[in-house]
Amino acid sequence: MTALDARPDATTTLRFPAGFRWGTATAAYQIEGAAAEDGRTPSIWDTFSRTPGKVRNGDTGDIAADHYHRMHEDVALMRRLGVTDYRFSIAWPRVQPTGRGPAVQKGLDFYRRLVDELRGAGIRPVATLYHWDLPQELEDAGGWPQRETAQRFGEYAGIMAEALGDRVATWTTLNEPWCAAFLGYGSGEHAPGRTSPLASLRAAHHLNMAHGWAAQVLRAELPPSAEVSLTLNLHAVRAHSDSPADLDAARRIDAVGNRIFLDPVFRGRLPEDLVRDTAPVTDWSFVLDGDLDVTSTPIDSLGINYYSPTVVAAGSGAAAPSPWAGAEQHVRFLPAPGPRTAMDWPVDADGLHELLIRLRDDLPGVPLVITENGAAYDDYADPSGEVKDPERVAYLHAHLSAVHRAIADGADVRGYFLWSLLDNFEWAYGYSKRFGIVHVDFATQRRTFKDSARWYASVIERGGLV
């Protein structure tokens, strides 16, 4: 499915291929709440958010969007939108509280109910095993820098495959391992808040191992028709100029931002330039014989999360502590031109097209799915109860147009998952940033379709853009 459906349509000028998957996405800690109910124990994000100064306004995910108790209402919202697919994550400490041993049945039952509700609504469940909520007990034992954490993740994957393998056809092992490794263990901006370049590189390798072991377990446990995937937040890296120094800065960021995952997963090797760049930090002796055979376990598709491009130049401009192990002394990050979202991220849909074309060329034969794309704006319910968000509509239209153009240029893109269904707990920003197409009044938990939700529903209904 690489060619666009060219059938004429009176109201649609950019039609997507037949069978294109139209979805939306969430993450467990950001929406579920019920942080201490039915056997769930703390994750690293529970601990981090309760640490003074780590999250804006001292916000936590204790209640979030209360999805744990409002799941039926939220699935009804998705049905109104007309989405074909819903990408959700499973909270590891809700089903295996210590990261070891047997599952908690009440936790498994919640996800069984969610999946059954989705299927009953005609929505295809897409399960993500890890969206950053590591059980705190595993972090206390060393966390992702330790090999055992990856082994425990493989066991957890087996628990979930046994519980939901008969009703979930698409499985994503990890969401954005770059953030988990480098924001969590390098810069300390995310949980668990550690600041060690060595720990971040060890974490990246063990997340790759966790992905590989989980993929092997899923292959063994699931029916042959099941789809196994991985989601990466790949950086659309641009050099500020064509000077050799600026091009080398872009190469360094590509190595530690992209190829540290792409090469082990799809080529069974570490990037040689990454090993050279990081030699002052580590000799990579924690990579054992056979590891890269595990990391390169074949998968069925690659998920891409994209929000904005990354512009770099030569120089020393990275703040300390930095998430860019091996590059921080050689690279300056520059602002991209153009309008910006409430996150102060540049709006640049061309970056998504560039990324998809790069993957078309670098990973021929690998189907691609946009697993996250969206924008935060300072929207609010007006006195009439309406939530008007024209900036978000414009952002989404531009990025879907870029996806359409990439498909026309030969990229095998199978679907698009809008981030996010609901306003939610936005990690270190707490509740100060709203990405949802459904407005949530956190005081009352009232849900309201924003204009962008109605717009997206019309896109799905017509199968393309006007």
Side-chain angles (χ1 to χ4, degrees):
M1 186 182 64
T2 59
L4 294 173
D5 181 349
R7 290 176 297 173
D9 186 286
T11 60
T12 304
T13 58
L14 298 180
R15 179 175 290 278
F16 283 73
F20 192 80
R21 293 158 61 180
W22 296 100
T24 188
T26 64
Y29 189 70
Q30 292 184 272
I31 68 166
E32 282 184 1
E37 290 188 35
D38 294 336
R40 184 188 181 280
T41 57
S43 73
I44 55 175
W45 267 98
D46 292 279
T47 302
F48 187 78
S49 65
R50 292 169 188 161
T51 303
K54 296 298 186 181
V55 174
R56 188 170 296 186
N57 300 320
D59 293 338
T60 74
D62 288 358
I63 299 174
D66 198 31
H67 174 73
Y68 191 77
H69 301 113
R70 298 170 185 268
M71 176 266 290
H72 300 287
E73 177 184 357
D74 293 338
V75 174
L77 291 173
M78 292 180 238
R79 188 170 193 168
R80 284 178 57 196
L81 282 170
V83 296
T84 62
D85 293 61
Y86 172 54
R87 177 176 175 255
F88 64 96
S89 78
I90 295 159
W92 190 351
R94 192 177 295 286
V95 299
Q96 196 187 29
T98 66
R100 300 178 177 85
V104 172
Q105 289 304 311
K106 286 185 177 180
L108 289 178
D109 286 345
F110 169 72
Y111 296 107
R112 291 186 179 109
R113 292 194 303 273
L114 169 61
V115 167
D116 288 347
E117 189 85 5
L118 290 166
R119 287 161 57 94
I123 299 169
R124 191 168 178 269
V126 177
T128 298
L129 288 173
Y130 187 72
H131 199 131
W132 308 350
D133 42 6
L134 182 71
Q136 182 61 45
E137 287 200 22
L138 290 184
E139 172 60 24
D140 293 342
W144 285 114
Q146 298 302 315
R147 190 179 190 87
E148 184 187 358
T149 304
Q151 295 168 332
R152 298 286 79 77
F153 185 75
E155 295 171 4
Y156 158 61
I159 289 172
M160 296 314 306
E162 181 179 358
L164 296 178
D166 62 338
R167 59 194 93 182
V168 173
T170 299
W171 294 81
T172 300
T173 55
L174 307 174
N175 177 80
E176 298 187 353
W178 185 88
C179 292
F182 292 100
L183 299 183
Y185 293 90
S187 67
E189 298 166 75
H190 280 191
R194 290 162 63 179
T195 55
S196 164
L198 175 58
S200 68
L201 293 168
R202 290 178 60 96
H205 175 64
H206 293 131
L207 282 156
N208 281 336
M209 292 296 296
H211 158 72
W213 274 324
Q216 291 179 356
V217 169
L218 293 171
R219 290 278 186 227
E221 297 290 334
L222 298 175
S225 59
E227 178 182 354
V228 177
S229 185
L230 167 70
T231 284
L232 301 177
N233 60 313
L234 296 174
H235 300 76
V237 185
R238 297 172 180 165
H240 177 60
S241 76
D242 291 335
S243 73
D246 284 357
L247 291 173
D248 188 65
R251 177 201 62 75
R252 287 176 179 273
I253 295 304
D254 185 59
V256 75
N258 295 333
R259 288 182 284 115
I260 193 171
F261 300 106
L262 289 172
D263 281 14
V265 170
F266 291 101
R267 297 182 173 87
R269 68 189 186 210
L270 286 169
E272 293 181 3
D273 58 333
L274 173 71
V275 174
R276 290 195 303 270
D277 292 346
T278 56
V281 179
T282 181
D283 61 2
W284 292 86
S285 58
F286 50 84
V287 179
L288 306 183
D289 289 345
D291 279 6
L292 295 172
D293 293 330
V294 174
T295 64
S296 58
T297 299
I299 58 176
D300 301 300
S301 64
L302 176 65
I304 297 104
N305 293 356
Y306 173 85
Y307 293 93
S308 61
T310 302
V311 181
V312 298
S316 179
S322 166
W324 303 101
E328 58 269 76
Q329 299 303 314
H330 305 274
V331 176
R332 289 183 297 126
F333 291 87
L334 303 177
R340 310 184 85 77
T341 70
M343 300 288 289
D344 199 32
W345 295 347
V347 178
D348 189 329
D350 287 342
L352 178 55
H353 179 266
E354 293 166 12
L355 195 55
L356 293 172
I357 296 307
R358 176 212 174 142
L359 294 170
R360 175 202 68 186
D361 297 339
D362 288 358
L363 302 176
V366 177
L368 308 173
V369 178
I370 308 303
T371 39
E372 286 184 27
N373 177 242
Y377 288 101
D378 296 325
D379 35 52
Y380 57 91
D382 67 22
S384 69
E386 296 291 313
V387 183
K388 302 184 184 304
D389 55 344
E391 300 94 346
R392 182 175 290 106
V393 171
Y395 178 100
L396 296 171
H397 191 287
H399 285 76
L400 275 170
S401 296
V403 174
H404 186 277
R405 182 156 49 98
I407 295 172
D409 290 340
D412 186 7
V413 185
R414 304 289 182 91
Y416 176 91
F417 288 74
L418 189 157
W419 184 271
S420 176
L421 175 68
L422 303 169
D423 289 336
N424 55 37
F425 175 85
E426 186 49 41
W427 306 114
Y429 292 91
Y431 297 101
S432 68
K433 305 297 180 186
R434 293 179 176 270
F435 275 89
I437 56 172
V438 175
H439 181 272
V440 178
D441 181 330
F442 293 107
T444 66
Q445 294 296 338
R446 177 181 173 84
R447 274 90 159 122
T448 303
F449 266 18
K450 302 178 185 180
D451 283 356
S452 56
R454 298 184 183 90
W455 176 85
Y456 191 47
S458 71
V459 170
I460 296 169
E461 183 177 20
R462 67 168 61 97
L465 300 169
V466 174

